[in-house]
Each structure stands twice: as structure tokens, then as C-alpha cells.
Amino acid sequence: MHAIKARNVVKVYDDPSGRVKALDGVSFEVDKGEIFGLLGPNGAGKSTLINMITGLISSTSGNIKIFGKDVATDWYSVKEMTGTCFGFARFIYFMTGRENLRFFGYLYDMSDHEIDKRIDELAQTLRLSEIDSRAGTYSSGMTQKLSLMKGLLHNPKLLLVDELTVGLDVDAAMNVRNVFRQVQRDEGTTVLLTTHYMQEANDLCNRIALISKGKLYALDTPKKLKRLARDYDVIEITLKQAKKAEAIVRRQKGVLDVFVGKDRLVAKVSSSEKSLQPVIGGLLKKGFMFTNLKVRKPMLEEVFLSLTGQSLGGEWHEF
Amino acid sequence: MSGTNFNTVKAFAYRLIANFWKQKMYIFAEVLFWPLMFLVAFGLLIKTFSADPTVINYILAASITWRITTVFQQSVNMGFLLDYWNETMRQTWVAPFHLKEYVIGNSMLGLLSGSVTFLVSLVVAWLAFGFSYQPLWLFVLTIVIMAVWGCVIGVLILATTVRVGEGATRLAWVITDIIVLLSGVFYPITMLPVPIQFVSHFLPSTFLFQMLRVHSFSPVLMAGSAVMVVAYLVLGMALLRYSVNHAKKVGRLVRFY
Ligand SMILES: Nc1ncnc2c1ncn2[C@@H]1O[C@H](COP(=O)(O)OP(=O)(O)O)[C@@H](O)[C@H]1O
Ligand SMILES: [Mg+2]
């Protein structure tokens, strides 16, 4: 039995502004005990998919089963087995973190003793010492931690996470990722998370599904996915006025494609041996100064681009 | 639908009561100030125009009853509004609960604050106006049925809000007042235009207040009102279930946050 089994899931929103096909026939399975990532840019349909797994949104057609239970017909059992963490979640403003969690603890049929024990344990792991302050006074990072505590409160078999590390500082994000690894290892929890950070997907997930415009393009381990793009190299240059440099680089020998970010230019080349000289030479001749240069194999970002024709968005060059 | 889980009922009761316990001004205003203010205003008004104790006692009993009805209606709607105001809708709805547990749990604030309001109102009405409604048990029975009717009105408002969206949350604050007008609480419904009288006959409150006004119990009216309340409850819960399914279709449980 799979932790999640999605079959031909379609979601069409009938908006006043028109029909939006947010998901277009998505099928996949998540194995018990794995960390599974949904990677895709904003608007790909990740949140829609995760909300359909929780049952908050019903599917237009197709079906989703969680440990064999159909979300559409057995919503209650599915909700008992899953914990959900939303990035940018809110909590009741006037109540403390602990009081907010107590409410959820009762809903998950826990006793006061169980609830307090679990809260103290999780607050320590996540280093949230303000658990007895009003949730309304929390910073966004503290709220994200509370959201994670809420998801893990009842030791769910399946943890669903939607963009939880967005807005966390590097340290806190790392801590959160470690918690996912820890519950996977110690409690056998299955984790499904969405992200548009490819490095996060790469480092954390056992398997990744690449999703764009409501379609699933590929599903495999990060290693195997990267092999899909091994027949070319990437030259990454840090320089001012990257936009201007683009046209020059594009003209050079063996350059297949060029992507420009802030102060950063990435060239996809058939072979770095053939293209490095002309690319650098061309830029130097025009007086460009660069502060960093990297030649590497393609990463998930480039795999994503070549499969979907779409970039992961503004953050792709951050890692 | 399976049995009712006490812990789930407790969850909603706990959250609503804990949240409002932190807002002392709100508690003071809703539980003491407004109820007593209306009670005293109505008492003084009726004493100005009538010396008949049966009339005075009726008006005081009616105004206390309406206040309690409103308290229960607002309590049932408050759980949803709390999620709406705090943008916690999706957080709450991904947790397991049945709709009846949601309704019963959220009505517990009404039970608590309504009981306090009721007792304080009785004492104040007695001290200020010598309130002594006869037969007392008729008054108490009416209040109990009206409390349930208040919850049912709450469920109907809830179903509407979940179905049509944010705008309907305003309904929560006016709908019971409209029902007061239609039920002929402070005047007989024969004073209303005929088409509106027709609508009044579909409201259990109309018949309960008919009995309360003449200080006499009628088994037919009482049983009829109770049956109507139960019928509206069944209808309300069915509508709520339909509305939740619709909200899942259009993604509203997520957009409400
Ligand atoms: N409730 C809704 N009504 C209409 N359209 C929606 C709704 N929710 C999402 N969409 C649309 O569906 C698409 C996928 O959105 P979403 O699932 O939020 O993507 P992601 O989480 O990957 O950024 C977007 O085009 C979005 O505008
Ligand atoms: Mg999203």
C-alpha cells in the first residue's frame, strides 16, 4: 500500500474571470517512509495538489488515496492520519502558541497530558521558547515553527508541507529540514513537501516530482533526474550588467542557451572545453568585469528548464 | 455519520471560550452591559405605558428570551468568524471533526455566557421591576427551546456564509433581529401585513411567544414549535453539508485562509 496514490487528478477552477485548469491529469505514488518533493515554480499547481491531498479542495476528476483511504469518501480518516503545515499559516491572535496547539490536540483526540508533553518536546527540538506567548506577537519565523509543531503534534503517518521554509532565515530553514529527516528516520513518517527551491528539493528529498502548469513532467531521485541533463555543461558567471552580456554570450561557439538573473549569467553549452574560451574572451573584449566564474554539470534547475521550458522563478540562482 | 467525539466538541468549546476570555471588554459588553441595558430600557418603557403586571412580566420575559436566543446564534457563528478574522480557516478544516461536533462545540460559549446573562437578568429584572413571570416553568421551557432555535438560526447563517462567501458574515448580526420582527415578540403578528404574517407562521418563535404572551401552556403549540425547530435543524445541517462540499469544489476553505 502506498502512502499516497494519485490517479489522473484534474482540477478546474470556474473563476468569474474564466476557467483555470490548475491540475491537468496528475498521477503518482508516494512510498511509505520517503520524503517526497513537489518542485515547480509559482502557479504550477503545487498548493492546489497538496490541498487536494488534505481534502480542502475536491478534485474535478480522478482520485487520491491516503494509505488506501479515498480522500473524497473518507475525509475524516484521512485527516486523522495526516498532519499539515502551511507556510505563512496564521494562528488565533489572542491565544498563546500552546493554547492554539491545545485546540488542535483535542481535535486529534489527545489528552491534556499527551498534548503538553508533545508540545514541550517539539518546542525544544525547534527551539521555540516563546510557546506561552500570544501567537499574535510571533515573528514570521516563529509562526513557521508553530506551524510545523502543529503538523507534527499528533505524530501523523503522513506529513504534508506547503512551502514551509519560505521566509525562514538560512539557519532556521536548515533546522526545519533536519526535523523532516528526523521524523522520517525515527518515526517512519512519510513527508510530502512542495518547494520552488531546487536546492532544498535536491538535498532533502528521496524522490522529486517536477511539476509545471498543472502537469507532472518527471518523477525520480534527484540523482537520476540530473542524469537527464548530463549531455551538456553549464558556465555560471557573476558580473554586473548581466542583461547586456547576454547577447554577447549567446553569439559564442557551442552556446545552447543563456539565462540571466540579478548580477548573474548562466550559459548552457554543449561542452565547456569548446565554449569557455570564446565566452570569456568575448566578454573581456567588451570590457565586462566578473567577480566569479564557475563551470559545472547541470543542476535540477537546468533539468527543469529543459523538460518544461519554464524556469523555477526568481530564486533559481540563489544557491 | 458516526458518533459524537467529546474531545472534538471540547476543542471548539475550548478555543472559543479561551479566545474571548482574553478579551475582558468584550465579555463585559456582551454578557452584562448590552443585555442589562436593553432589559432596563424595555422595563422602563413598558412601565410608562402599562401598570398591568401580566404585560410587564411578559415584556421582560420576552426581552430576556430574545437576548438568550441571540447569544446562542452568535456563539454558533463565532467559531467560523474566529477562523475568518484570524485567517485560520484552512488550519481548522484540515483537522478531523464532524459538522455536528463543530456546531455543538461552538455553541458552548453561548451556553456559558447565556447562563450568566440569564441569571443576572433575572435578578436585575426582579430587583428593578419586581419581575415574577407565572408560570415560571413555561418561561424556562420557552428559553430552552429558543436557545436551540438560536443555534439552528446560527447553523442556517453558517450554511449561507460557507456557500456564498465573506459578505454573508454580516448576516450573522442582523438575522435574529429580523426574526424578532417577524415572530411578533413585542406585538401580535396580526399587526403585520398579511403576506408577512404568512411568513411568521413558518417560525417556531411565533408560536412560543403566543403562549408566553397569554401566560398559558398549549401542548399543541409547544410540541409544534419543538418539531419545527428539529425540522429546521435537520434542514440546516443538510444545507451546511452541501455548502461545505461546494466550498471544497471552488476552493473557498483555502481562500478564506
Ligand atoms: N481558488 C482558486 N480559484 C481559482 N484559481 C485558483 C484558485 N487557487 C489556485 N488557482 C490557480 O491555479 C493555479 C495553480 O495555483 P497554485 O496551486 O497555488 O500553484 P503553486 O502552489 O504551485 O504556486 C494558478 O494559476 C492559480 O491562479
Ligand atoms: Mg503554492
Side-chain angles (χ1 to χ4, degrees):
Chain A
M1 191 174 36
H2 294 284
I4 302 175
K5 184 169 179 168
R7 277 280 150 273
N8 275 317
V9 176
V10 173
K11 182 66 197 179
V12 179
Y13 290 112
D14 273 314
D15 232 33
S17 49
R19 281 162 62 91
V20 182
K21 204 164 198 178
L23 287 175
D24 191 4
V26 171
S27 301
F28 64 96
E29 278 105 38
V30 175
D31 294 328
K32 263 190 228 177
E34 73 175 331
I35 298 183
F36 188 97
L38 291 169
L39 178 66
N42 284 328
K46 305 181 298 295
S47 296
T48 299
L49 185 52
I50 219 162
N51 285 322
M52 286 169 79
I53 294 169
T54 66
L56 283 178
I57 296 176
S58 52
S59 55
T60 306
S61 66
N63 72 75
I64 299 174
K65 284 187 174 151
I66 309 298
F67 293 104
K69 308 255 189 207
D70 195 315
V71 177
T73 56
D74 208 349
W75 196 23
Y76 193 92
S77 309
V78 167
K79 293 206 279 189
E80 280 181 314
M81 290 187 287
T82 52
T84 313
C85 314
F86 297 106
F88 303 114
R90 298 291 190 91
F91 290 87
I92 305 291
Y93 187 91
F94 284 110
M95 289 165 68
T96 66
R98 186 184 297 274
E99 288 166 340
N100 269 286
L101 294 180
R102 187 176 305 285
F103 163 66
F104 290 109
Y106 291 150
L107 286 179
Y108 290 111
D109 211 10
M110 297 164 76
S111 70
D112 279 292
H113 175 73
E114 286 171 322
I115 293 169
D116 280 315
K117 199 170 144 240
R118 184 72 173 153
I119 290 175
D120 292 334
E121 187 182 297
L122 288 168
Q124 195 166 17
T125 313
L126 286 164
R127 287 177 251 142
L128 183 64
S129 51
E130 301 84 349
I131 190 70
D132 290 303
S133 310
R134 279 188 179 184
T137 65
Y138 284 16
S139 68
S140 65
M142 285 152 72
T143 308
Q144 303 282 63
K145 287 179 185 176
L146 190 61
S147 184
L148 182 55
M149 288 176 72
K150 186 233 135 192
L152 291 168
L153 189 65
H154 60 298
N155 293 94
K157 287 162 81 173
L158 172 65
L159 182 66
L160 303 169
V161 185
D162 195 9
E163 308 262 10
L164 192 70
T165 52
V166 175
L168 285 185
D169 59 52
V170 178
D171 251 15
M174 207 144 74
N175 193 15
V176 165
R177 287 181 205 125
N178 282 334
V179 171
F180 295 150
R181 292 188 188 101
Q182 190 189 325
V183 293
Q184 177 192 35
R185 189 185 58 228
D186 299 346
E187 293 163 42
T189 309
T190 309
V191 181
L192 175 103
L193 58 92
T194 72
T195 182
H196 63 274
Y197 294 142
M198 60 116 192
Q199 195 64 39
E200 179 166 273
N202 183 68
D203 294 354
L204 189 60
C205 300
N206 302 109
R207 289 195 305 151
I208 300 171
L210 303 184
I211 168 171
S212 172
K213 294 179 184 147
K215 283 202 172 84
L216 210 145
Y217 281 84
L219 195 171
D220 220 320
T221 61
K223 211 168 156 185
K224 283 193 184 144
L225 282 175
K226 278 182 280 189
R227 255 185 239 153
L228 289 174
R230 95 190 129 167
D231 57 341
Y232 61 85
D233 295 327
V234 175
I235 301 174
E236 207 180 309
I237 305 165
T238 311
L239 78 175
K240 292 260 180 287
Q241 295 180 298
K243 198 88 204 141
K244 274 192 186 162
E246 181 185 354
I248 298 156
V249 175
R250 208 175 271 285
R251 258 187 259 124
Q252 307 305 325
K253 200 173 117 195
V255 173
L256 303 171
D257 209 347
V258 181
F259 310 107
V260 175
K262 191 174 169 290
D263 295 341
R264 188 84 65 113
L265 183 148
V266 175
K268 187 173 148 183
V269 299
S270 51
S271 143
S272 57
E273 273 164 49
K274 271 188 246 155
S275 298
L276 191 57
Q277 284 291 343
V279 166
I280 301 303
L283 287 174
L284 285 176
K285 212 156 43 184
K286 295 281 178 195
F288 281 96
M289 308 272 283
F290 23 97
T291 49
N292 202 352
L293 173 74
K294 210 177 341 179
V295 178
R296 57 170 171 83
K297 282 285 161 197
M299 295 195 294
L300 275 179
E301 166 62 25
E302 285 85 15
V303 178
F304 196 92
L305 264 169
S306 57
L307 286 175
T308 70
Q310 216 195 344
S311 146
L312 278 173
E315 289 88 350
W316 61 272
H317 59 272
E318 271 177 14
F319 292 94
Chain B
M1 220 152 137
S2 55
T4 308
N5 184 336
F6 176 70
N7 237 351
T8 317
V9 172
K10 186 167 85 176
F12 289 107
Y14 165 76
R15 180 176 70 151
L16 212 47
I17 292 167
N19 177 66
F20 286 110
W21 187 245
K22 315 230 164 190
Q23 290 154 278
K24 300 287 191 282
M25 269 314 287
Y26 176 89
I27 294 182
F28 172 74
E30 292 299 314
V31 177
L32 295 176
F33 181 77
W34 289 115
L36 295 181
M37 159 100 176
F38 277 109
L39 182 68
V40 170
F42 273 112
L44 291 174
L45 185 69
I46 193 65
K47 271 207 136 163
T48 312
F49 292 108
S50 171
D52 182 351
T54 57
V55 174
I56 294 171
N57 281 330
Y58 169 70
I59 292 295
L60 290 170
S63 70
I64 293 173
T65 305
W66 259 114
R67 189 67 212 179
I68 302 301
T69 311
T70 310
V71 164
F72 274 88
Q73 171 262 309
Q74 290 184 354
S75 176
V76 166
N77 291 129
M78 205 62 85
F80 187 85
L81 291 174
L82 191 65
D83 276 324
Y84 178 63
W85 290 326
N86 285 280
E87 301 186 357
T88 48
M89 197 67 71
R90 55 183 181 168
Q91 297 261 66
T92 298
W93 286 82
V94 289
F97 61 86
H98 296 113
L99 291 176
K100 66 177 166 186
E101 293 157 348
Y102 181 86
V103 171
I104 297 171
N106 282 321
S107 67
M108 289 298 137
L109 173 69
L111 186 61
L112 190 68
S113 64
S115 303
V116 175
T117 301
F118 177 62
L119 292 175
V120 174
S121 299
L122 275 189
V123 171
V124 169
W126 176 63
L127 289 176
F129 307 107
F131 176 67
S132 79
Y133 187 90
Q134 297 294 334
L136 185 61
W137 64 267
L138 177 63
F139 175 42
V140 174
L141 185 59
T142 302
I143 285 223
V144 170
I145 298 181
M146 286 297 289
V148 181
W149 177 225
C151 292
V152 173
I153 297 169
V155 171
L156 291 165
I157 293 171
L158 184 61
T160 313
T161 314
V162 174
R163 176 63 183 80
V164 306
E166 297 88 308
T169 53
R170 290 170 212 280
L171 265 183
W173 310 110
V174 298
I175 204 88
T176 37
D177 293 331
I178 294 170
I179 295 181
V180 177
L181 294 178
L182 294 179
S183 307
V185 176
F186 299 109
Y187 43 81
I189 57 164
T190 46
M191 288 179 67
L192 296 169
V194 176
I196 293 182
Q197 276 186 46
F198 178 75
V199 178
S200 301
H201 285 104
F202 289 93
L203 299 170
S205 29
T206 301
F207 305 108
L208 289 169
F209 282 98
Q210 262 174 28
M211 279 183 287
L212 205 61
R213 181 177 298 110
V214 295
H215 296 250
S216 93
F217 170 71
S218 147
V220 175
L221 289 185
M222 188 59 81
S225 311
V227 168
M228 280 173 94
V229 170
V230 172
Y232 277 111
L233 178 60
V234 172
L235 174 73
M237 291 307 287
L239 282 177
L240 182 56
R241 212 160 298 131
Y242 155 78
S243 296
V244 169
N245 284 334
H246 181 268
K248 285 164 67 170
K249 224 172 266 167
V250 298
R252 181 166 286 131
L253 293 177
V254 177
R255 244 186 327 184
F256 266 143
Y257 283 96

